[in-house]
Every structure is written in C-alpha cells, then in structure tokens.
Amino acid sequence: EVTVNYRYGLPVVTLTLPTRGERCQFTIKPMVVTVGAFLQDVQREDKGIEKAEVFARDGSKVSDATLMEVLLMNDFKLVINSKTYSVSSPKKGTLSSEHATEMEDIKSLVHRLFVAIHIEDHQVRKERELLQKLEYLKEQLLPLEQMKDRIADSADAKTSRLLWVGLALMSTQGGALAWLTWWVYSWDIMEPVTYFITYGSAMAFYAYFVLTKQDYVYPHAKDRQFLHYFYRKSKSQRFNVQQYNKLKDDLAEAEESLRRLRQPLQLRLPIQQINDKD
C-alpha cells in the first residue's frame, strides 16, 4: 500500500491515508527534506494519524534528522498508528561517470547557495545570542568588579605603606651608622659592623630566592606583596577569585566571538600570473 516511484528525477511516495481512505502522493526533495519533515507532512494531511515513525530493516528507528536521500537508498518500514508498511525503494538507473560528476557539482552548488542565502540570518541570530550572553556576564561581574576594586585599593594602600616603612628603616639605619662612625666610634670599629650588615642583607636576598624561586627585583617583590595582601583580604571578604576569573575569561571569549562575527567576509581570489608574450 506504500509505493515509491521516481517522476522527473524526484521520488514520489504514495500511501493510503488511514482516516480518509484516499491514496495520497508526496513528492520528496531528497537533498532538502528530512524524515521528520516527511512524517509531519503525512500527519498534516490526515489529522487522524496520531503516530508516524520510520524504522530500518533491522528494526532500528531512523532519526528525524536523516535526509530522505539517505533513507531511500535502502528498504525501510513505515509505521502509521499501529500498522506497519514495508516499503521497497526502487533502484535508480546507473549514472555515467560524467553525469555523476555533474550531479555532485550541482549538489555542491545548491549547498553553497543555501549557505549564502541563510548565512545572514544565522549571523543575526548568533549575534543576538552573543549580545544576550555579554549582558548576562556583565550583570554577574558588576558586583564582583566593585568588590574587587575595593580589595585592590586596600591591598595597594598596604603595599605602599610597607614600601615607605622600608625606606624609613633604611634611612634610619644609614643615619645610625653615620652617627656611630663620625661621632661615637671611628671607621676602624664600624667597618666590620657594616660588612656584617651587608653580608646579612645578601643572605636575606638569597633566602628570598630560595623561598620564591625569583630574584629580588623591586617591582616583582612589590607585586608579590600586593597579591599576598589581595588574597588575604579576599578570603576575609569572601570574594571568589576563581569565579571572577572564569567570568572574565567567558566575557573575553564572547567579545572575541562577537568581533569575529562582525568582521566582513573577505573573498580570497587566486592570483594568476599572466606572462606577456612578445
């Protein structure tokens, strides 16, 4: 009761509608129509059809996203409501190699035209999704950014105070050594003292390298101390640094995707070198 014939190069599925009892023909565009779309057309034609499915010969269900071109390559079973129909796919004539190449070229051209027609709609839809994602990420980041700025300001202030305290201690040490050298003792007495102070400072710098695996460079030491204060303050304020970094990474990724999407498509044409003949 279900037959498949080719007319004008297109497959025509003929079946009897269960409710109306009429024979109905469905012309299929195999390269465009999917199994789900075909079943929807059948159910739309007969409102009494409650369930329509397609199964392969081995009994496995065929996905609705499968193209009819793939389905019609082999026999299959069509289940309408509770009745099963065995459908035999007719074998198409063997195409010559030249005709087959032309058909492949036509399929490729149709695919490129389809993509060119629908790419603008896809870009608009994708851009809308990215804009919504950006808005959501910015809303999530706003309170975290405010808290992060307050913690960073506090850590920067503590780091600056520590640097000024270090400068004050060094100035005090220099003044004390000068006073002991010129007013209290002589250079002969203070020279060993200054030597051991210098050697102790070198030991302290070496200990810093052993602990941190970094040279004692003032900008790096300042940044390290800033991060120490920042993470300690973040823990006390319950600021989730991992969540903040993840949101920032997601925001940067979304902005980069939006930037690439908005870039105009560039058509790259091959450069042909033309040799002038005398």
Side-chain angles (χ1 to χ4, degrees):
E1 297 182 0
V2 179
T3 60
V4 181
N5 298 312
Y6 281 89
R7 295 180 184 176
Y8 306 105
L10 294 177
V12 179
V13 180
T14 305
L15 56 88
T16 302
L17 300 177
T19 303
R20 296 163 52 181
E22 299 175 352
R23 298 286 288 175
C24 186
Q25 295 180 349
F26 297 90
T27 302
I28 307 299
K29 298 177 181 178
M31 292 186 296
V32 179
V33 178
T34 61
V35 173
F38 166 68
L39 296 178
Q40 288 178 1
D41 292 340
V42 174
Q43 291 178 313
R44 192 180 300 111
E45 192 67 27
D46 190 346
K47 302 299 182 182
I49 298 177
E50 299 179 355
K51 184 178 181 181
E53 294 178 320
V54 175
F55 293 87
R57 287 182 299 178
D58 58 358
S60 59
K61 188 178 183 300
V62 179
S63 172
D64 291 342
T66 304
L67 290 175
M68 290 296 295
E69 181 182 18
V70 178
L71 178 65
L72 294 175
M73 291 180 179
N74 301 297
D75 298 341
F76 60 93
K77 296 180 181 180
L78 177 62
V79 179
I80 298 179
N81 291 339
S82 59
K83 193 171 183 180
T84 303
Y85 302 92
S86 296
V87 184
S88 298
S89 299
K91 303 301 180 181
K92 300 177 64 176
T94 305
L95 299 177
S96 63
S97 59
E98 182 179 357
H99 192 190
T101 304
E102 292 178 356
M103 290 298 296
E104 291 297 329
D105 294 341
I106 292 175
K107 290 180 181 180
S108 178
L109 178 60
V110 171
H111 177 71
R112 290 199 300 268
L113 289 175
F114 179 83
V115 172
I117 292 173
H118 293 81
I119 190 171
E120 184 176 357
D121 296 338
H122 172 74
Q123 287 183 345
V124 172
R125 183 169 60 255
K126 189 66 175 179
E127 182 177 358
R128 189 183 301 112
E129 294 176 358
L130 289 174
L131 290 175
Q132 292 176 355
K133 183 178 180 180
L134 285 174
E135 184 178 358
Y136 171 76
L137 291 175
K138 289 180 180 178
E139 290 178 357
Q140 295 293 320
L141 276 171
L142 181 59
L144 297 178
E145 287 282 3
Q146 295 174 352
M147 183 180 295
K148 175 249 183 185
D149 291 339
R150 293 195 299 267
I151 295 175
D153 292 340
S154 176
D156 186 69
K158 288 184 177 180
T159 305
S160 298
R161 285 198 298 269
L162 181 63
L163 294 177
W164 283 106
V165 168
L167 179 62
L169 291 176
M170 292 180 66
S171 301
T172 303
Q173 183 189 49
L177 291 176
W179 178 70
L180 291 174
T181 300
W182 287 305
W183 282 275
V184 179
Y185 304 109
S186 64
W187 174 248
D188 294 334
I189 297 177
M190 295 302 301
E191 183 178 7
V193 176
T194 57
Y195 170 78
F196 282 108
I197 291 176
T198 304
Y199 185 76
S201 300
M203 289 180 61
F205 294 151
Y206 184 76
Y208 178 87
F209 171 77
V210 171
L211 294 175
T212 64
K213 302 301 184 295
Q214 295 178 355
D215 293 336
Y216 190 82
V217 181
Y218 290 117
H220 295 170
K222 176 181 178 297
D223 295 338
R224 186 178 183 86
Q225 194 63 37
F226 171 82
L227 291 176
H228 172 72
Y229 286 138
F230 182 86
Y231 277 96
R232 189 170 66 179
K233 188 72 173 179
S234 299
K235 187 176 181 179
S236 62
Q237 295 291 329
R238 296 182 179 179
F239 176 74
N240 195 334
V241 180
Q242 289 77 13
Q243 180 185 3
Y244 173 80
N245 291 333
K246 184 178 183 304
L247 290 174
K248 291 290 287 185
D249 293 339
D250 294 342
L251 181 64
E253 183 179 356
E255 290 177 346
E256 179 65 18
S257 300
L258 184 61
R259 184 186 66 82
R260 292 181 179 179
L261 184 65
R262 288 178 173 176
Q263 283 182 348
L265 296 178
Q266 297 180 354
L267 180 62
R268 297 184 177 180
L269 299 178
I271 299 176
Q272 298 180 353
Q273 296 181 355
I274 301 176
N275 296 325
D276 296 334
K277 295 183 179 180
D278 297 335

